[in-house]
Amino acid sequence: MGRVAAPDVVTLSGTEKPLAQIYDVALLDLDGVVYVGQHAVAGAPEALRGARELGMRLAFVTNNAARPPRTVAEHLSALGIPARAEDVINSAQAAAHYLAERLGTGARVLVIGTVGLDEALAERGLTAVHSADDDPEAVVQGYSPELNWAQLAEGAVAIRRGIPWVATNVDPTVPSPRGPLPGNGSMVAALRHATGATPVVTGKPDPTMHRESVLRSGAQNPLVVGDRLDTDVEGANAAGCPSLLVLSGVTSAAELLAAPPLLRPTYLAEDVGGLLQAQIAPTLSAEGASCGRWSVHLSRDANLTLTARSGGAVPDGAVPDGAVPDAMAALRALCAAAWRRAAADGRDAGRIGPVRGADAPAVVVLTSLGLAGPA
């Protein structure tokens, strides 16, 4: 089943049952996993309904601190994913919890962000203020699509006084139908440049966020589900929690192949429909790796060559010849080969050479993954 990422772990894990039957709570990232902008990721409502039918509870965990949990829950419900405010955990709540433990009830905190931060602070007995002239004891900064120069200026004045500065996250981008847009990390970078200070970050991948998610969801055996290696997967690994990476958001297949050990997921799926599937683990060999009907040869110069095996029995989850290629099985095999070479010779996984398809089915699946090279 699951495993904790470590430098000597070079393969993805497998399961005999669907993930939704193994883990009690899915800690689901939102942007790029459940929705992009105002619209659900294709198939997500149906997949999450299916996960619930298999007994899995859902908690929606996001680094985006712009909206209060009730607003997020209303959005999810409108998309066909029934949710209550208490099902939503955001980085504003983690930041407020962190500050309350250190400042005590009634402390004044300057907010650089939206009402989501104001409400999270109030829940913990803290007082939100919006001017450096209000004598704040700390500054908290979260994502806001309406963030302006005036808010940044107030933050700069307060931060220069030497008071604590907490950022809900430092994600450089947020996904959108038009492509990645500037995220909270980009705005945090502006204040870092202006003040020379560095904030405490309480969102993913910091364990503070995972603690908040487990506390609020009551999870006993959680599975982190996300689309980012540097927040969702890294945060899960830091907390010793298994993770499912989905490719419906910002992470590409090439980035996954190049991932260092602590950014490697436990499981891999195209989207959250992976919760309804058993996971096929890749098998390592002297020449490379295999998974389903796919085999990967790793040459001495670190090039990867993918081949579709024909004939013989087709393992569960693989696709018979003539059908659409099983891209995820191919990618699992590619990851196993690339990560094994990185572990074997100390090579940076990001230096793995070109990926090639040795036959027509392989070229098709590599093209679908954005990895196509010459045959």
Side-chain angles (χ1 to χ4, degrees):
M1 297 189 341
R3 59 100 174 93
V4 177
D8 60 343
V9 175
V10 295
T11 60
L12 293 153
S13 295
T15 65
E16 295 181 357
K17 296 179 180 180
L19 295 173
Q21 290 184 329
I22 296 172
Y23 298 98
D24 67 335
V25 178
L27 301 178
L28 292 146
D29 184 48
L30 288 172
D31 292 316
V33 176
V34 178
Y35 54 61
V36 175
Q38 295 299 309
H39 304 288
V41 170
E46 296 80 6
L48 295 178
R49 180 169 60 250
R52 279 172 161 158
E53 290 172 353
L54 290 177
M56 175 176 262
R57 292 188 291 114
L58 308 180
F60 303 96
V61 183
T62 177
N63 263 358
N64 191 329
R67 299 185 296 172
R70 69 175 185 282
T71 304
V72 176
E74 289 168 359
H75 180 197
L76 290 167
S77 297
L79 295 177
I81 306 167
R84 305 164 300 168
E86 52 265 40
D87 298 327
V88 179
I89 303 103
N90 64 25
S91 57
Q93 294 169 323
H97 194 168
Y98 175 90
L99 286 167
E101 288 180 335
R102 285 154 182 80
L103 301 178
T105 302
R108 301 160 75 85
V109 180
L110 175 64
V111 171
I112 308 172
T114 67
V115 66
L117 278 170
D118 289 39
E119 294 190 7
L121 293 172
E123 181 188 31
R124 291 291 176 181
L126 301 170
T127 301
V129 299
H130 299 89
S131 170
D133 295 335
D134 292 328
D135 297 322
E137 298 174 49
V139 175
V140 64
Q141 181 174 0
Y143 173 75
S144 168
E146 285 81 40
L147 187 67
N148 57 37
W149 182 89
Q151 286 180 292
L152 290 174
E154 293 302 314
V157 170
I159 291 166
R160 283 185 173 278
R161 295 173 183 162
I163 63 176
W165 173 27
V166 173
T168 60
N169 71 86
V170 287
D171 298 357
T173 61
V174 293
S176 86
R178 301 169 63 194
L181 300 177
N184 194 52
S186 297
M187 301 301 101
V188 168
L191 279 181
R192 289 183 66 174
H193 189 66
T195 66
T198 299
V200 171
V201 181
T202 55
K204 296 177 286 186
D206 191 89
T208 302
M209 186 67 180
H210 186 76
R211 179 193 68 166
E212 193 75 14
S213 301
V214 171
L215 179 67
R216 289 178 178 267
S217 68
Q220 298 296 316
N221 185 27
L223 175 69
V224 170
V225 184
D227 69 314
R228 300 188 74 108
L229 297 175
D230 59 350
T231 54
D232 303 311
V233 174
E234 184 179 1
N237 288 337
C241 182
S243 62
L244 170 67
L245 177 74
V246 297
L247 299 183
S248 53
V250 301
T251 298
S252 68
E255 291 168 333
L256 179 59
L257 290 180
L262 294 180
L263 270 64
R264 296 173 188 167
T266 317
Y267 308 112
L268 173 66
E270 184 175 5
D271 52 41
V272 290
L275 293 172
L276 308 181
Q277 302 164 358
Q279 293 278 312
I280 308 172
T283 302
L284 294 168
S285 67
E287 297 78 21
S290 61
C291 187
R293 65 172 182 146
W294 302 101
S295 61
V296 177
H297 179 264
L298 182 59
S299 66
R300 290 186 179 274
D301 57 3
N303 292 343
L304 299 171
T305 302
L306 179 69
T307 304
R309 296 200 302 269
S310 60
V314 178
D316 291 343
V319 178
D321 290 340
V324 176
D326 178 6
M328 291 302 101
L331 184 54
R332 291 184 184 109
L334 289 164
C335 286
W339 297 348
R340 178 174 185 169
R341 169 56 65 90
D345 62 8
R347 177 191 298 268
D348 180 356
R351 293 175 55 202
I352 291 295
V355 183
R356 298 186 172 94
D359 48 34
V363 171
V364 170
V365 75
L366 290 178
T367 299
S368 74
L369 292 170
L371 295 170

